[in-house]
Amino acid sequence: VIELEGEEITANQFDEQIRWRRRNMIMDVDQMLMTFQQLGATPEVFGYFEQQLMLAVTSLQQPLMIGQEVLNALTQDIILKVEAEKMGIVVDDARIDQEIEEAFGYFAGGTPTPAVTLAPSITPETSDDQDGEPDPTATPLLQPTEYTEELFESNYNDFLLSIEDIGVSEETIRDIIEINIIRNEIVEIVSADIDENAEHVWIRHILVADEDTATEVVEKLAAGEDFVDLAAEYSLDTSNKDNGGDLDWFSRGAMVQPFEEAAFALEVGDISDPVQTDFGWHILESLGKDDLLLDPSAYQQLRNQAYIDWITEQETIYQPIIHEDWSKYVPSEPAIPQEYLAYIQSISSGEPQLPPGVPTVE
């Protein structure tokens, strides 16, 4: 299906990757339906899930849509494999084995992960005889059960049997894990120069609906009125109007572009002219500016963006051969269960009926 510099994705690999993608999408639907039930299973609650559910259902009913997504992803993957070889990145079987074990919660080189089991409490007060036999009414205690290698192997074999039923092999799972490891290694390489410290600003703002009101607020500030009082009186941002419009410290990328540009252009103590965004009109005041440690999510966002920029560049450099007949290798299985479709339809009609096969919450 895809070829590049000695690497290839076969029709069988393509088929299994699509089956794996479809399986995970169906599991997402399964989880959404269970959460829907936990939250009350009412038409009002359904509104929170409707868009995601309908998108998943529509995609699952259009196999070529998923096939194109997987084709695009595998085109990137084959580039990663070629680049990994040039960078000296080697992923051996032992590394893949370790990733699988840890994905199942088994850490062979560390403390086993405890799973909670029930054990009867045996005390003199709850024993009927001198042998310490537990009273049937004894209060159960929670005790950890060691996650053994045997238990991991049992769980993993059960997993392999479950994916075998939908036409996915262990080899495909190992391929997926291998490319994830390669991707993570490359992220480390291409983002190595990103500084964990970055320029931050401390801003407070007042959000209003129109330019005329914004101008009025600016004039009152220029006349000496208090920013905190005006925020409480005028601001439409209910999340912070009662604390003077304080947005605390933030770095670039945290706010919409016009707001960010104005915030970082201000000197400490300055108040901006009215700034328009999709939310309305803002008046900003700078309370501070400094180089600070990025929070983990912002730092990871920069690392991810470095990888996106890198892979986008590689896609312009490399030209993988994509065979034109790829679409004939796209499976439509596993299919979303009909009972799921019936249940979603019944919810949409305002009369949810739980048919057999739909996951239920005890």
Side-chain angles (χ1 to χ4, degrees), residues 55-107:
L55 180 61
V57 169
T58 300
S59 296
L60 286 163
Q61 292 175 327
Q62 299 182 48
L64 288 181
M65 181 186 297
I66 299 176
Q68 183 67 66
E69 292 173 356
V70 172
L71 186 75
N72 294 342
L74 291 176
T75 302
Q76 287 192 356
D77 290 352
I78 204 168
I79 292 173
L80 290 179
K81 284 193 173 184
V82 170
E83 276 294 298
E85 184 174 353
K86 293 178 180 178
M87 292 179 177
I89 298 172
V90 177
V91 181
D92 59 18
D93 286 341
R95 177 79 179 276
I96 296 173
D97 290 341
Q98 180 181 348
E99 290 289 328
I100 292 172
E101 291 171 357
E102 292 182 0
F104 278 78
Y106 176 64
F107 297 86

Side-chain angles (χ1 to χ4, degrees), residues 150-167:
E150 291 74 17
L151 182 55
F152 155 69
E153 290 177 351
S154 174
N155 290 339
Y156 182 54
N157 287 331
D158 288 345
F159 165 73
L160 293 180
L161 289 174
S162 73
I163 62 171
E164 183 181 326
D165 289 342
I166 61 169

Side-chain angles (χ1 to χ4, degrees), residues 118-295:
L118 291 176
S121 172
I122 304 175
T123 66
E125 290 75 23
T126 58
S127 291
D128 285 337
D129 56 44
Q130 299 299 318
D131 295 328
E133 292 295 328
D135 186 344
T137 62
T139 303
L141 297 178
L142 294 177
Q143 295 182 346
T145 297
E146 186 176 275
Y147 192 6
T148 62
E149 182 177 1
E150 291 74 17
L151 182 55
F152 155 69
E153 290 177 351
S154 174
N155 290 339
Y156 182 54
N157 287 331
D158 288 345
F159 165 73
L160 293 180
L161 289 174
S162 73
I163 62 171
E164 183 181 326
D165 289 342
I166 61 169
V168 177
S169 65
E170 181 181 13
E171 182 181 358
T172 289
I173 299 303
R174 296 181 72 86
D175 287 344
I176 291 169
I177 292 172
E178 179 186 13
I179 204 65
N180 283 339
I181 294 172
I182 289 173
R183 187 181 297 107
N184 290 336
E185 293 280 351
I186 291 178
V187 168
E188 291 291 334
I189 292 170
V190 302
S191 65
D193 294 335
I194 295 177
D195 196 338
E196 293 188 53
N197 291 284
E199 184 181 21
H200 285 65
V201 289
W202 179 14
I203 298 292
R204 60 183 178 184
H205 82 138
I206 298 170
L207 172 65
V208 295
D210 55 72
E211 187 175 11
D212 288 343
T213 307
T215 301
E216 180 182 330
V217 171
V218 169
E219 290 173 350
K220 289 188 174 184
L221 288 167
E225 293 195 36
D226 185 66
F227 196 101
V228 173
D229 293 339
L230 291 174
E233 178 182 354
Y234 283 91
S235 187
L236 302 177
D237 189 345
T238 56
S239 67
N240 54 55
K241 63 176 294 181
D242 293 329
N243 69 340
D246 192 349
L247 295 172
D248 209 341
W249 292 93
F250 59 85
S251 59
R252 295 185 187 275
M255 302 294 179
V256 294
Q257 193 64 28
F259 191 99
E260 177 184 291
E261 290 177 359
F264 280 87
L266 289 173
E267 296 299 326
V268 177
D270 286 352
I271 293 175
S272 73
D273 293 329
V275 177
Q276 186 179 17
T277 71
D278 291 341
F279 300 100
W281 290 80
H282 309 256
I283 302 92
L284 292 68
E285 182 180 10
S286 177
L287 302 179
K289 182 180 288 189
D290 201 355
D291 284 340
L292 301 173
L293 186 68
L294 287 164
D295 69 71

